[in-house]
Amino acid sequence: MTGRSMKFDPEAWLRDDVEAEWALTRDRQQAAALPGGTARETKRGIAASEQSGIDAIINAGFVSERLPMLDVVFDRLVRLMTASLRSLTSDTIEVSIEAVSSVRFGAFLNDMPLPSLIGVAHAHEWDNSALLVVRPELAFAVVDVLLGGRRGVPPAHIGRPGFTAIETKLVERLIGVVLSALGEAFAPLAQVGFTLDRIETNPRFAGIARPTSAAVNARFRIEMDERGGLVDLVIPHATLEPIRALLLQRFTGETLGRDSLWERHLVSELHRASVDVEAVLGEQQMTLADIMAFKPGQTLLFGTREDQPITLRCGGRTVGHGQMGRSGHQLAVRLTDRDTDKPGKAFRLRGED
């Protein structure tokens, strides 16, 4: 026995205990995956069964931030994409939103189906990037449509490992149209232009953000006469940071997404709407007993002189005053005061003299 005293170190004891616990958990996961022999590996080469450790801890603190105005932008994007893709394909196009969610950027790349065409877009005004992922079903459907494929026949290229240069160029046209529509969708909030920087087929080369960074994933379904598929728009929160305050606002019907054609139609219909205008010669308060005692031939005195202006009312609100007169065989009122109209305009009353 040595004469040196043993000093207890609580930090070292806790560190050794945590390392032992992690090692035991890892051994159990590996042992559970061995009998089946089908342990799945992600695109980063990490076994899926081993991601429940540190990834679970990281994702436990992941709280998605609600951006109300972003939903309005995506709804506007659907309308713009429908019109733009109809011009591109000369075919019937239906675009709908499948889902809008917050994801980890690395988790999205891991779950991406292959082969997919990944368009890396650059937002010049925000000096950042976004991803537009065209899934294989949609990519081959677009190629068939642009090359004049028969309608109603699904594409038969899904089993191929990748895309040719011609197919990539054709899908690039689709990506360009969607990015142009995306810039127009953001226009009511901020002026931004998205341009295609490059197209990747390997998710490892599409890393525009850290794997743990939060991002918004908007998934759209594009149907072209019984052919189509999904396209994913991935925008990191760092890209949206310049307009984050605007996206946090709640949409209450202001100018965002206004439809000028509908506004003009509504204004024209309102101007043609018929309303009743009353010319009030006089008013007097009476008791209910006096009103119930009315008899034919009874004279009611209102205390109004002949030259006293009368009141014009519409919908219970006073809209002006005027003088009673005659125009032909009809009673008329000449407007004497009205802030929004020129004095001297005559309003004819219903009925004849």
Side-chain angles (χ1 to χ4, degrees):
M1 179 177 179
T2 178
R4 185 177 57 182
S5 61
M6 299 294 292
K7 185 178 181 180
F8 176 70
D9 187 358
E11 295 183 359
W13 176 82
L14 180 60
R15 182 171 57 253
D16 295 340
D17 186 65
V18 171
E19 292 178 354
E21 184 67 24
W22 273 104
L24 180 60
T25 302
R26 184 176 63 251
D27 293 341
R28 289 177 179 175
Q29 292 175 347
Q30 292 177 351
L34 284 177
T38 58
R40 180 176 62 89
E41 289 190 355
T42 65
K43 306 298 183 299
R44 288 184 292 175
I46 304 176
S49 59
E50 296 178 10
Q51 292 190 36
S52 59
I54 189 64
D55 286 351
I57 295 177
I58 294 175
N59 293 329
F62 177 52
V63 179
S64 60
E65 185 178 28
R66 177 67 175 168
L67 302 174
M69 292 301 293
L70 201 56
D71 294 333
V72 181
V73 172
F74 290 151
D75 288 337
R76 178 177 170 86
L77 177 60
V78 168
R79 298 194 299 268
L80 294 172
M81 286 173 56
T82 302
S84 301
L85 293 178
R86 186 178 296 117
S87 301
L88 174 66
T89 62
S90 300
D91 204 344
T92 303
I93 300 294
E94 294 183 5
V95 182
S96 60
I97 301 178
E98 285 284 308
V100 178
S101 59
S102 295
V103 297
R104 292 289 184 186
F105 187 76
F108 173 81
L109 293 183
N110 287 338
D111 298 334
M112 184 188 308
L114 294 178
S116 294
L117 288 177
I118 309 170
V120 180
H122 183 68
H124 297 279
E125 289 76 6
W126 300 341
D127 193 22
N128 221 314
S129 302
L131 293 184
L132 188 66
V133 181
V134 181
R135 299 204 176 193
E137 296 85 358
L138 179 60
F140 290 121
V142 169
V143 171
D144 278 356
V145 170
L146 295 182
L147 294 181
R150 291 183 299 174
R151 296 184 177 182
V153 179
H157 313 289
I158 304 301
R160 290 171 45 187
F163 300 91
T164 64
I166 296 178
E167 292 170 342
T168 303
K169 282 294 183 180
L170 292 176
V171 178
E172 183 177 341
R173 296 176 58 185
L174 169 69
I175 296 177
V177 169
V178 175
L179 292 180
S180 177
L182 181 60
E184 295 182 25
F186 275 104
L189 284 178
Q191 295 296 327
V192 59
F194 292 87
T195 58
L196 181 62
D197 186 18
R198 65 186 186 276
I199 292 182
E200 301 288 351
T201 56
N202 191 337
R204 296 183 179 180
F205 301 133
I208 60 173
R210 300 182 62 180
T212 57
S213 299
V216 177
N217 177 24
R219 183 167 299 165
F220 302 90
R221 177 171 293 277
I222 302 177
E223 295 291 339
M224 300 170 289
D225 192 18
E226 300 181 1
R227 293 174 292 185
L230 300 174
V231 57
D232 287 285
L233 175 64
V234 182
I235 308 178
H237 280 211
T239 302
L240 298 174
E241 186 63 28
I243 60 170
R244 177 176 172 273
L246 297 175
L247 295 176
L248 287 173
Q249 297 177 358
R250 293 191 176 275
F251 179 65
T252 56
E254 55 267 30
T255 57
L256 182 67
R258 61 187 299 177
D259 190 341
S260 58
L261 181 61
W262 168 251
E263 287 182 355
R264 291 194 298 268
H265 174 70
L266 179 60
V267 170
S268 64
E269 291 298 322
L270 289 176
H271 286 170
R272 287 197 292 266
S274 299
V275 295
D276 292 329
V277 179
E278 301 174 348
V280 182
L281 299 176
E283 293 180 303
Q284 182 177 349
Q285 288 187 346
M286 303 179 68
T287 64
L288 183 59
D290 293 338
I291 296 175
M292 295 181 65
F294 281 172
K295 296 179 180 179
Q298 182 179 353
T299 302
L300 302 178
L301 300 177
F302 286 91
T304 304
R305 301 189 306 271
E306 295 182 356
D307 58 345
Q308 184 173 344
I310 65 173
T311 302
L312 296 176
R313 290 180 179 174
C314 179
R317 300 186 60 180
T318 300
V319 295
H321 298 84
Q323 293 290 339
M324 178 68 72
R326 185 182 300 274
S327 177
H329 297 286
Q330 293 181 332
L331 294 177
V333 177
R334 182 173 296 277
L335 191 64
T336 57
D337 61 89
R338 174 71 168 146
D339 295 338
T340 57
D341 290 323
K342 296 181 180 179
K345 188 172 183 179
F347 290 85
R348 290 189 177 183
L349 302 180
R350 287 182 177 178
E352 296 185 354
D353 194 3

